Amino acid sequence: MNARPADPHQSRAFAAWGHGLYRHRHVVSWLWLAVILAIVPTIPLLPGRVLTGGFDDPSLPSSRALAALRDELGFPTRSAAVLYRIEGRDYAEPAVRRAVSDSLARAGAVPGVAAVIGPDLDSRRVGKSGRAAIALLALHDGPGRDDGHLAALERAVAVPVDAGVTIETLLVGSDAFFRDLAAATSNDLRRAELVTVPVAALTLLAVFGSVVAAGVPVVAGAATAVLGLGGIFALSFAVDMSVFTLNLATMLALGLGTDYALFVTSRFRDEIDAGASPAEAVERAVATAGRAVFFSAGMVLAGLAGLVAFPIDFLRSLGFAGLAAVAGAVIVSMTLLPALLGLIGYRIDALRVRARRGETGGTTWVRLASFVTRRPWPILATSFVVLVGAAWPFLGARLSTPDSRILPESFPTRRASALAAAEFDLGSGTPLLVLVRAPGPIIEVEHLATLRDLSEALARDPRVARVDGIVSLDPRLTTAQYRLLYANLGQGPDPWTRGIAATLVRGSLTLLSVSPSGDPLGKDTSSLVDAIRATVPAPGWRLEVGGISANALDLTRSLYGAFPRVVAFILATTAVLLFFTFRSILLPIKAIAMNLLSLGASYGALVLVFQDGALAGLPAPFAFPAMGFVESTLPILLFCTVFGLSMDYEVFLLSRVREAYLVTGDNLQSVTTAIGASARVITGAAAIVVAVAGSFAFAADVVQIKALGLGIALAVLVDATIVRALMVPAAMRLLGDWNWWVPGWIASPLGWTTPHWPSPADAREAPGAGVDACP
């Protein structure tokens, strides 16, 4: 076969790279083996390098309120709770109370515990059934936040079997929640990997029909995963990495590493079939599919780079992990993969399991493309309506931060939350902490009167279950009597009020604990936070609100305040990369618009599934729990991850269309030919990503991981079917030669001499015809 002319610009550089890799294929392969052997021992160390949490932002109003409570009021802002579930007996029985009292005495002796508030001090801490109780532990903010400290607390509060009663103890709090979350994510990762690799291997075998050809992308995907995890290990010494980075990096590394290798391997095999030598096949595969991989990965990297711009460590670390995984996929595809293909050579189709089938004219995909291009307007309009309708539920999305409901029901934190919800007021365990600043000493009679008016007004609000503070000890007491109680702080006759004053009063500051009547993360509680912050009890007074509910509201608003800038950056970067990839003004606009439609459909599905519980009644593993909200970081994660990821298939398809157009100059024929030539490979690549992401959606127990996997799988599925098979050919049919239009005032400075609408004869003479970035 005659060699095709090389593009004097980008394709020539990629062809030269492929040529060099073939020449040094043995050295490259041995170097890669050494790299993998060096990285593999670090992977078991990764769980000890990643961190839980990462949802804090010191600049948030709720964070500043908590800092003031800690620094100015001396109030312990780190706490835990012990839930006691009593078997067959009431808490009021002496033996039960004695067992709980002994348990709390042991807890108070654990290093790091500042104070213990038992159920005997407050009747509201005894459950509605009388067979449950809750105690609060105030914890120091210093050392002792590791799993060893939690284990020591759990041993201390456990009621021994010889105590005469059977009591289950459950330790809850942020430290316990994040410990359970780390364990659950590790379990999810192991289960998902067991499903992912065999599913991807079977999909590749169906695409290639050859064990050797299918095995090459599997090796590349595994190498990418190792390299990506090694990158996370290295990054963990410079930045805090969330425990979720392991799941995201593995998902992206396996999906993209296998996908990119599939495109390059498929092009290599096509060149071998066309009569090229292994050296020529490697060179052309890198110059075409390799170039497409390179630019496509740039779009994925741009999206993930947007995560680094957010102010919370959780998203930043996921951005760094994603960048490591995608960079690993590109490095493997552009170094190890060409070297392996050079070593395999003509044996690429060895160990066949089925006969080769034609992949061009007359296939189902070609007939579908012909059908679409004959009816472009109806198909484009129908597809648009379907995708907009799928995205519509997202307009009613309620965003909030995660709580224990994202954990499997078998984990202690989740079981404790269920017990607390059944036995106690829903908001009593997560009150709003209202820091009240008066213009003078808070114990002055006029300030106590204003504080009492404020407390009573809050207590009358239907969104409030109760208000606790220095003027709500007893409704029978008057303001003057409260003034007498607090006349001499720390020296009053009543020990209870002395303790209250010592804890809740510092000069002009005091604390109100406001328990919501509804879901602490619900819409009513969010509006309550805003209402309290907008309240001015009297001139010179100021209220600050902290607590879990306030932090959830502030964090969501902070994230979505920065989100538009990140979206603009990703869209602009993607448009520029598409412009230089296809030398077109309209194709980037079309591609971005269609990508947004597929992403919107994924967003709408998440609302239906996780907020509204559309699939909650299905049997496992197809059941997805109803949360009542969409986790606030999920739409951001999906946009930054999926926007570039689902753009891959359009890039590869349009690359093939452009190659055919440069040869024929016929827009309609180019679209049909490209779809027929690339459909099987693109479908297989999309199936791999859907399988990888879907394995996390169905095998995982942590709701965040399930939602991320489902969102990625749905977006890629929609993009590879409705968008790629229907909307892209219909739109390209309608645009015609305008697909490839570039104004002369832009083309000339860039040295682009290809005619705006080349004739077939001009296209055949154009340099680089046939090698321009097709898979």
Side-chain angles (χ1 to χ4, degrees), residues 557-589:
R557 288 177 175 172
S558 172
L559 291 175
Y560 286 90
F563 194 32
R565 296 191 297 273
V566 173
V567 169
F569 166 77
I570 293 172
L571 295 184
T573 305
T574 301
V576 170
L577 288 171
L578 287 171
F579 171 72
F580 282 100
T581 301
F582 298 119
R583 301 184 181 184
S584 167
I585 292 290
L586 296 180
L587 283 183
I589 298 173

XYZ file of all heavy atoms in Angstrom, residues 557-589:
264
model
N -23.836 27.364 48.714
C -23.824 28.686 48.076
C -22.426 29.077 47.622
O -22.256 29.681 46.555
C -24.376 29.722 49.049
C -25.883 29.597 49.242
C -26.405 30.573 50.269
N -27.862 30.506 50.351
C -28.591 31.130 51.259
N -27.975 31.879 52.196
N -29.898 31.020 51.273
N -21.431 28.738 48.416
C -20.050 29.054 48.033
C -19.650 28.297 46.770
O -19.056 28.869 45.848
C -19.101 28.699 49.182
O -17.758 28.821 48.788
N -19.994 27.011 46.723
C -19.639 26.202 45.553
C -20.281 26.738 44.289
O -19.625 26.866 43.242
C -20.071 24.753 45.781
C -19.318 23.956 46.845
C -19.945 22.584 47.023
C -17.851 23.833 46.496
N -21.560 27.071 44.379
C -22.265 27.496 43.166
C -22.063 28.977 42.863
O -22.423 29.435 41.780
C -23.741 27.118 43.262
C -23.878 25.626 43.075
C -23.819 24.760 44.160
C -23.952 25.073 41.809
C -23.869 23.397 43.993
C -23.999 23.705 41.632
C -23.958 22.869 42.730
O -23.991 21.502 42.551
N -21.435 29.697 43.787
C -20.979 31.037 43.452
C -19.756 30.983 42.558
O -19.585 31.818 41.652
N -18.898 29.981 42.776
C -17.687 29.829 41.953
C -17.944 29.015 40.687
O -17.174 29.097 39.728
C -16.588 29.151 42.783
N -19.023 28.241 40.680
C -19.276 27.319 39.574
C -19.391 28.012 38.208
O -18.838 27.519 37.214
C -20.535 26.510 39.875
C -20.725 25.310 38.987
C -19.635 24.601 38.489
C -21.995 24.881 38.643
C -19.808 23.496 37.683
C -22.182 23.771 37.838
C -21.089 23.089 37.346
N -20.099 29.145 38.070
C -20.183 29.776 36.745
C -18.829 30.115 36.144
O -18.627 29.979 34.931
C -21.012 31.044 37.009
C -21.842 30.701 38.200
C -20.957 29.829 39.056
N -17.878 30.554 36.965
C -16.547 30.861 36.436
C -15.846 29.600 35.942
O -15.154 29.627 34.917
C -15.706 31.552 37.517
C -16.240 32.897 37.953
C -15.236 33.642 38.817
N -14.955 32.940 40.058
C -15.674 33.076 41.172
N -16.724 33.883 41.191
N -15.350 32.416 42.277
N -16.022 28.501 36.684
C -15.421 27.239 36.276
C -16.047 26.755 34.977
O -15.347 26.301 34.052
C -15.573 26.188 37.388
C -15.106 24.818 36.909
C -14.794 26.605 38.625
N -17.373 26.866 34.870
C -18.059 26.462 33.635
C -17.543 27.284 32.452
O -17.264 26.742 31.371
C -19.582 26.626 33.796
C -20.290 26.465 32.451
C -20.120 25.608 34.790
N -17.416 28.598 32.641
C -16.928 29.453 31.555
C -15.521 29.049 31.133
O -15.205 29.009 29.930
C -16.952 30.916 32.004
N -14.663 28.738 32.099
C -13.300 28.311 31.773
C -13.301 27.011 30.965
O -12.595 26.888 29.955
C -12.503 28.118 33.067
C -11.209 27.368 32.892
C -10.094 27.989 32.363
C -11.117 26.022 33.249
C -8.908 27.293 32.186
C -9.940 25.319 33.081
C -8.822 25.959 32.547
N -14.109 26.039 31.395
C -14.137 24.748 30.718
C -14.701 24.896 29.309
O -14.157 24.334 28.338
C -14.958 23.736 31.533
C -14.248 23.428 32.852
C -15.184 22.449 30.749
C -15.063 22.588 33.811
N -15.777 25.664 29.159
C -16.375 25.843 27.835
C -15.413 26.557 26.896
O -15.270 26.178 25.723
C -17.681 26.629 27.944
C -18.832 25.958 28.711
C -20.079 26.818 28.632
C -19.114 24.576 28.167
N -14.750 27.588 27.402
C -13.821 28.335 26.548
C -12.633 27.473 26.136
O -12.227 27.461 24.966
C -13.340 29.592 27.279
N -12.078 26.738 27.098
C -10.933 25.879 26.777
C -11.323 24.791 25.785
O -10.588 24.502 24.830
C -10.386 25.239 28.066
O -10.070 26.255 29.004
C -9.143 24.422 27.767
N -12.489 24.182 26.006
C -12.950 23.138 25.087
C -13.173 23.698 23.696
O -12.807 23.066 22.691
C -14.254 22.522 25.616
O -14.024 21.977 26.921
C -14.747 21.424 24.704
N -13.771 24.888 23.610
C -14.023 25.498 22.300
C -12.715 25.767 21.548
O -12.616 25.511 20.346
C -14.810 26.794 22.472
N -11.712 26.252 22.263
C -10.426 26.526 21.615
C -9.776 25.227 21.128
O -9.262 25.150 19.998
C -9.497 27.278 22.587
C -8.081 27.359 22.033
C -10.044 28.679 22.858
N -9.782 24.198 21.964
C -9.188 22.927 21.556
C -9.917 22.321 20.353
O -9.292 21.811 19.417
C -9.207 21.946 22.725
C -8.229 22.231 23.859
C -8.497 21.317 25.055
C -6.784 22.066 23.395
N -11.253 22.390 20.357
C -12.019 21.871 19.224
C -11.751 22.691 17.967
O -11.688 22.147 16.850
C -13.508 21.883 19.553
C -13.996 20.838 20.555
C -15.441 21.112 20.941
C -13.860 19.434 19.984
N -11.607 23.989 18.128
C -11.328 24.854 16.975
C -10.013 24.469 16.307
O -9.935 24.328 15.082
C -11.288 26.309 17.433
C -10.794 27.263 16.385
C -11.566 27.587 15.286
C -9.534 27.847 16.499
C -11.108 28.467 14.311
C -9.061 28.724 15.535
C -9.857 29.043 14.439
N -8.977 24.252 17.100
C -7.690 23.891 16.504
C -7.665 22.437 16.039
O -6.911 22.090 15.137
C -6.558 24.144 17.504
C -6.172 25.589 17.614
C -6.630 26.365 18.658
C -5.368 26.167 16.654
C -6.289 27.703 18.752
C -5.011 27.514 16.732
C -5.479 28.284 17.787
N -8.484 21.591 16.651
C -8.529 20.192 16.223
C -9.207 20.056 14.865
O -8.728 19.325 13.986
C -9.277 19.336 17.256
O -8.615 19.439 18.515
C -9.300 17.869 16.835
N -10.337 20.773 14.665
C -11.123 20.595 13.442
C -11.065 21.772 12.486
O -11.634 21.696 11.403
C -12.591 20.329 13.822
C -12.784 19.086 14.626
C -13.322 19.138 15.903
C -12.403 17.854 14.134
C -13.493 17.995 16.656
C -12.563 16.704 14.882
C -13.108 16.778 16.134
N -10.393 22.875 12.889
C -10.300 24.056 12.046
C -11.691 24.480 11.583
O -11.976 24.599 10.392
C -9.391 23.791 10.841
C -7.986 23.400 11.250
C -7.062 23.242 10.070
N -5.735 22.846 10.503
C -4.692 22.708 9.680
N -4.844 22.923 8.392
N -3.530 22.352 10.157
N -12.546 24.712 12.554
C -13.937 25.056 12.285
C -14.443 25.980 13.362
O -14.043 25.880 14.527
C -14.789 23.785 12.231
O -16.165 24.096 12.278
N -15.353 26.894 12.976
C -15.997 27.783 13.933
C -17.268 27.159 14.493
O -17.547 27.215 15.695
C -16.343 29.135 13.271
C -15.060 29.890 12.929
C -17.235 29.972 14.182
C -14.297 30.399 14.124
N -18.057 26.525 13.624
C -19.373 26.039 14.032
C -19.321 24.700 14.749
O -20.154 24.435 15.628
C -20.284 25.941 12.806
C -20.600 27.271 12.126
C -21.506 27.051 10.934
C -21.242 28.244 13.101
N -18.394 23.816 14.389
C -18.350 22.490 15.020
C -18.126 22.567 16.525
O -18.774 21.832 17.284
C -17.283 21.620 14.366
C -17.641 21.022 13.006
C -16.516 20.118 12.506
C -18.946 20.245 13.067
N -17.224 23.412 17.032
C -17.093 23.508 18.500
C -18.380 23.969 19.181
O -18.746 23.451 20.236
C -15.971 24.537 18.672
C -15.177 24.444 17.418
C -16.169 24.172 16.346
N -19.094 24.935 18.568
C -20.340 25.421 19.166
C -21.367 24.304 19.208
O -22.047 24.071 20.227
C -20.867 26.627 18.366
C -19.856 27.782 18.429
C -22.227 27.065 18.896
C -20.200 28.946 17.540
